């Protein structure tokens, strides 16, 4: 049997910066000329273009190994050892153990290495170490360039997400056709459609999956698309779209990292280490829709055998224990009710519940009353002035607490000074420090909460027009008694349900609706 001579070429993205000397075309010419000159006429190329040399998880290399295992290859030739690999341990395994065990002759042309000539191979291990050092140095330099680029706000990905394309200057612009699909996905999800249903809708509508869409446009794809799966969308693809801040015009850098230049596995970076840059490109999704989708994602959608959707998912909270209330479903939908999630746990909360129809009608009637307000601007200006009073009170409270925080700093400073002056010993210092530290932590938590409330109040003062816009947008739906999940999440931040007073027909509920954009709405001067 005339065995094949394998001519192996490899080029990584990093190697491309060194110019044409390492190009695949150049490697092929050198290998082919060498094969012909040495009368290795039965040769076959194996080319890994764009793969690192620090590991051997490369498709063409694996293909070559399979043919070696099947006894089809007798000689392997590379331009030099760096093209074969840059991990000296693995390179040593193949050259010292694997190839000899398979009776493979291995040649590295520029390194004058040939396993058929044992006397010329003594310096090979040192060359392999130098090749690995080179890979480590290139990795370090590449990371430095990426760090500078990422800190400047430039995107680090070479592949814009589905919905965007890239011009010759590297700037992103909206791909209208794909962007419409992204908007459809958000619209379906916010309206209460489950992800598995969205997957089916896209398949039924014959919408090309992102990888097939890009491939059909002649764009580079991370992996090769599988024929016959053109319209198959995965749950993860939908989730990635729903959580990608790029769709609101924001660039998020340093989301992933690798432990080592040898390990190509991507790991998630803690969110605190991300670098976020807003308004870096045109948005496909507005901030409100994106935020609603994120809030809905945090709440697990549970469907029982009755498959009744929960329109108020994640919106209703118990006034007593501050925990979420969940929908308890029945065959007859009018019997559905919300119950506190912790009432079964002894001592945490008493039984607090409210009928689903009641809370639905309560919210619907509240919105109708807002629609029926004749002079909305005057009404909301009145509410804004009351919010301004609340904001003033909050600022006064914040100043008071921040002064207390300064007092704690002075206490800690004096404690430390007393310890240094030997006025108190280490044990007394630790005991006193812990006592004050507990109170200081509580104070810092209160300060943090007040700051959140102040931010919320400031947003109320500036977002009344947005609330009125939503009223006009959904006016016809509301007047037709339609109130879906999208509308509820657009209008409402959360609903607080207090424990009912009385029983049966005399039962009275107290409900607090925290509206978005204008939290405080005083209906006391309005008639039904």
């Amino acid at each position: 049997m005339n065995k094949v001579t394998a001519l192996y070429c490899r080029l990584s993205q990093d190697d491309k910066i060194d110019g044409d000397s390492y190009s695949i075309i150049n490697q092929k010419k050198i290998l082919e000329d060498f094969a012909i000159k040495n009368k290795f006429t039965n040769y076959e190329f194996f080319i890994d273009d764009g793969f690192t040399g620090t590991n051997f998880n490369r498709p063409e290399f694996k293909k070559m190994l399979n043919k070696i295992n099947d006894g089809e290859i007798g000689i392997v030739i590379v331009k030099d050892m760096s093209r074969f690999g840059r991990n000296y341990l693995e390179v040593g395994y193949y050259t010292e153990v694997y190839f000899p065990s398979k009776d493979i002759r291995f040649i590295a042309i520029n390194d004058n290495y040939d396993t058929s000539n044992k006397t010329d191979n003594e310096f090979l291990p040192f060359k392999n170490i130098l090749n690995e050092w080179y890979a480590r140095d290139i990795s370090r330099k590449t990371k430095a360039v990426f760090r500078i680029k990422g800190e400047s706000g430039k995107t680090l990905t070479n592949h814009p997400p589905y919905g965007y394309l890239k011009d010759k200057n590297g700037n992103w612009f909206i791909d209208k056709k794909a962007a419409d699909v992204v908007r459809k996905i958000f619209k379906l999800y916010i309206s209460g459609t489950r992800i598995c249903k969205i997957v089916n809708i896209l398949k039924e509508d014959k919408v090309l999956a992102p990888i097939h869409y890009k491939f059909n446009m002649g764009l580079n794809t991370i992996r090769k698309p599988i024929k016959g799966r053109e319209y198959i969308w995965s749950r993860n693809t939908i989730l990635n779209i729903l959580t990608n801040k790029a769709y609101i015009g924001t660039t998020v850098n340093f989301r992933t990292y690798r432990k080592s230049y040898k390990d190509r596995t991507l790991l998630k970076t803690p969110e605190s280490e991300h670098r976020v840059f807003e308004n870096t490109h045109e948005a496909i999704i507005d901030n409100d829709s994106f935020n609603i989708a994120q809030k809905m994602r945090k709440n697990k959608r549970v469907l029982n055998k009755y498959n009744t959707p929960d329109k108020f998912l994640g919106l209703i909270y118990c006034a007593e224990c501050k925990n979420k209330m969940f929908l308890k479903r029945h065959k007859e939908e009018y019997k559905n009710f919300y119950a506190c999630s912790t009432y079964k746990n002894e001592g945490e909360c008493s039984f607090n519940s409210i009928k689903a129809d009641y809370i639905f009608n309560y919210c619907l009637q509240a919105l109708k009353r807002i629609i029926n307000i004749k002079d909305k601007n005057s009404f909301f200006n009145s509410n804004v002035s009351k919010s301004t009073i609340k904001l003033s009170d909050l600022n006064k409270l914040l100043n008071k607490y921040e002064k207390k925080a300064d007092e704690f700093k002075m206490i800690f400073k004096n404690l430390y000074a007393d310890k240094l002056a030997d006025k108190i010993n280490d044990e007394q210092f630790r005991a006193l420090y812990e006592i004050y530290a507990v109170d200081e932590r509580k104070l810092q938590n209160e300060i943090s909460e007040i700051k959140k409330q102040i931010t919320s109040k400031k947003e109320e003062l500036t977002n009344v027009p947005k609330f009125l816009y939503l009223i006009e947008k959904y006016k016809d739906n509301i007047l037709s008694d339609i109130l879906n999940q999208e509308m509820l999440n657009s209008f409402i931040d959360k609903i607080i349900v207090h424990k009912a007073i009385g029983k049966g027909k005399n039962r009275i509920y107290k409900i607090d609706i925290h509206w978005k954009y204008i939290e405080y709405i005083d209906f006391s001067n309005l008639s039904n």
Side-chain angles (χ1 to χ4, degrees):
M1 177 182 176
N2 185 15
K3 290 188 176 183
V4 171
T5 295
L7 307 181
Y8 182 74
C9 309
R10 183 193 64 80
L11 186 71
S12 72
Q13 295 297 324
D14 294 336
D15 291 320
K16 289 179 181 178
I17 65 175
D18 288 325
D20 293 337
S21 62
Y22 284 108
S23 72
I24 293 296
I25 295 173
N26 179 269
Q27 289 182 57
K28 286 181 70 175
K29 187 176 186 307
I30 291 172
L31 292 173
E32 191 169 34
D33 287 348
F34 184 87
I36 293 172
K37 182 179 178 181
N38 290 275
K39 299 181 180 179
F40 302 135
T41 54
N42 185 22
Y43 58 83
E44 180 181 346
F45 282 103
F46 297 86
I47 302 170
D48 282 317
D49 194 359
F51 290 87
T52 180
T54 55
N55 69 58
F56 287 83
N57 187 23
R58 316 171 207 147
E60 285 293 295
F61 185 81
K62 288 181 176 180
K63 180 181 175 183
M64 183 175 74
L65 290 187
N66 288 335
K67 290 202 170 190
I68 289 173
N69 290 332
D70 292 338
E72 298 178 23
I73 293 175
I75 302 172
V76 174
I77 305 176
V78 295
K79 175 176 172 283
D80 55 50
M81 293 304 297
S82 69
R83 298 304 91 207
F84 185 66
R86 294 190 184 275
N87 183 324
Y88 82 94
L89 290 176
E90 289 196 66
V91 169
Y93 163 74
Y94 283 108
T95 57
E96 302 292 333
V97 180
Y98 180 78
F99 286 158
S101 71
K102 300 292 183 181
D103 292 326
I104 298 294
R105 181 181 176 185
F106 180 69
I107 301 171
I109 300 170
N110 289 354
D111 292 321
N112 294 318
Y113 179 82
D114 187 342
T115 53
S116 67
N117 187 352
K118 302 291 184 183
T119 58
D120 293 336
N121 300 334
E122 290 87 352
F123 290 101
L124 182 66
F126 298 102
K127 288 182 179 179
N128 291 338
I129 291 173
L130 289 172
N131 284 329
E132 180 164 332
W133 282 348
Y134 174 83
R136 184 182 299 166
D137 186 54
I138 286 291
S139 175
R140 180 180 56 79
K141 289 177 180 176
T142 302
K143 281 183 179 179
V145 171
F146 263 62
R147 175 58 61 177
I148 293 169
K149 184 179 178 183
E151 292 288 352
S152 70
K154 296 179 180 178
T155 179
L156 296 179
T157 179
N158 290 320
H159 304 281
Y162 177 75
Y164 288 100
L165 295 173
K166 188 167 64 173
D167 63 23
K168 61 182 180 180
N169 296 319
N171 299 314
W172 292 5
F173 63 93
I174 290 178
D175 173 8
K176 187 178 182 305
K177 187 175 180 181
D180 286 343
V181 178
V182 172
R183 294 188 187 101
K184 181 177 182 177
I185 289 170
F186 271 88
K187 180 75 174 174
L188 286 169
Y189 186 75
I190 291 171
S191 67
T193 308
R194 300 175 73 198
I195 290 179
C196 59
K197 179 64 176 174
I198 295 174
V199 167
N200 292 334
I201 290 171
L202 295 174
K203 182 180 179 182
E204 290 168 5
D205 292 345
K206 294 191 178 300
V207 178
L208 283 171
I211 190 169
H212 291 276
Y213 179 78
K214 289 185 176 183
F215 184 77
N216 284 3
M217 291 183 69
L219 302 173
N220 291 330
T221 55
I222 297 173
R223 62 184 186 278
K224 191 175 181 181
I226 302 172
K227 192 174 181 181
R229 296 179 61 86
E230 287 82 0
Y231 310 113
I232 304 298
W233 288 68
S234 71
R235 174 184 171 83
N236 283 340
T237 300
I238 301 296
L239 274 175
N240 288 337
I241 288 174
L242 290 171
T243 57
N244 194 339
K245 287 185 177 180
Y247 294 118
I248 57 172
T250 296
T251 292
V252 182
N253 288 332
F254 311 121
R255 290 181 298 176
T256 58
Y257 73 100
R258 293 187 175 98
K259 283 187 176 181
S260 164
Y261 68 97
K262 294 182 181 180
D263 187 353
R264 309 309 291 176
T265 305
L266 285 175
L267 302 172
K268 288 186 177 180
T269 306
E271 198 167 325
S272 60
E273 296 179 21
H274 293 176
R275 294 289 285 116
V276 180
F277 303 90
E278 297 178 351
N279 303 316
T280 55
H281 52 274
E282 189 177 356
I284 292 175
I285 303 298
D286 63 88
N287 284 336
D288 290 338
S289 297
F290 186 83
N291 291 334
I292 289 172
Q294 306 321 301
K295 185 174 181 179
M296 291 174 67
R297 274 191 62 253
K298 292 178 182 178
N299 299 289
K300 189 176 181 181
R301 303 184 186 192
V302 180
L303 292 178
N304 64 359
K305 60 183 178 181
Y306 306 121
N307 286 333
T308 309
D310 183 359
K311 295 177 182 178
F312 290 90
L313 182 68
L315 292 178
I316 305 179
Y317 291 79
C318 173
E320 296 191 31
C321 68
K322 314 301 182 188
N323 286 301
K324 290 178 185 176
M325 298 179 73
F326 291 101
L327 183 63
K328 306 295 181 181
R329 299 171 175 88
H330 287 268
K331 185 175 182 181
E332 294 85 6
E333 193 170 333
Y334 72 92
K335 291 184 179 180
N336 289 349
F337 68 94
Y338 286 90
C340 176
S341 58
T342 61
Y343 81 91
K344 286 184 179 179
N345 300 327
E346 187 177 351
E348 285 197 38
C349 188
S350 58
F351 182 67
N352 186 13
S353 67
I354 187 169
K355 290 190 70 174
D357 282 350
Y358 184 95
I359 204 163
F360 176 86
N361 289 321
Y362 187 91
C363 294
L364 183 64
Q365 294 307 315
L367 288 166
K368 283 184 177 181
R369 293 177 78 183
I370 295 170
I371 289 172
N372 290 329
I373 296 171
K374 291 182 180 179
D375 189 352
K376 292 184 179 63
N377 286 326
S378 175
F379 173 77
F380 280 105
N381 283 336
S382 171
N383 280 280
V384 164
S385 67
K386 290 173 182 177
S387 287
T388 306
I389 294 171
K390 284 188 174 183
L391 181 60
S392 175
D393 292 341
L394 286 170
N395 280 319
K396 287 179 182 177
L397 191 59
L398 178 63
N399 288 333
K400 180 182 175 181
Y401 283 177
E402 285 181 337
K403 285 180 181 178
K404 282 188 178 181
D406 289 337
E407 290 174 7
F408 273 114
K409 288 179 183 177
M410 186 58 65
I411 288 171
F412 292 137
K413 184 178 179 181
N414 291 337
L415 272 177
Y416 189 66
D418 288 345
K419 178 178 176 293
L420 290 177
D422 291 328
K423 292 181 179 180
I424 57 174
N425 58 36
D426 288 348
E427 188 176 342
Q428 289 172 323
F429 172 81
R430 283 194 294 270
L432 289 170
Y433 185 91
E434 276 304 313
I435 291 171
Y436 288 119
V438 170
D439 291 336
E440 195 266 346
R441 280 194 291 269
K442 287 180 181 178
L443 182 65
Q444 289 298 335
N445 289 335
E446 289 174 353
I447 289 173
S448 178
E449 184 59 35
I450 291 171
K451 285 181 176 179
K452 287 180 183 178
Q453 291 181 42
I454 289 173
T455 301
S456 176
K457 292 297 173 192
K458 285 180 178 178
E459 288 178 356
E460 288 174 29
L461 300 179
T462 57
N463 284 323
V464 170
K466 190 172 285 188
F467 187 83
L468 294 177
Y469 164 77
L470 290 171
I471 289 292
E472 287 301 314
K473 178 181 178 181
Y474 295 113
K475 180 179 177 179
D476 292 340
N477 295 55
I478 294 167
L479 294 176
S480 300
D481 294 342
I482 297 171
L483 195 55
N484 57 33
Q485 193 169 15
E486 177 183 357
M487 294 166 64
L488 287 165
N489 278 284
S490 296
F491 281 115
I492 297 171
D493 184 48
K494 61 182 175 181
I495 300 169
I496 308 297
V497 176
H498 298 261
K499 190 176 180 182
I501 301 171
K503 294 183 179 180
K505 292 181 179 179
N506 297 320
R507 199 174 195 192
I508 300 172
Y509 293 102
K510 184 178 184 301
I511 299 172
D512 299 326
I513 299 178
H514 292 247
W515 303 94
K516 285 187 175 179
Y517 313 122
I518 176 75
E519 181 180 347
Y520 184 84
I521 299 181
D522 183 6
F523 290 110
S524 60
N525 295 322
L526 290 174
S527 58
N528 290 328

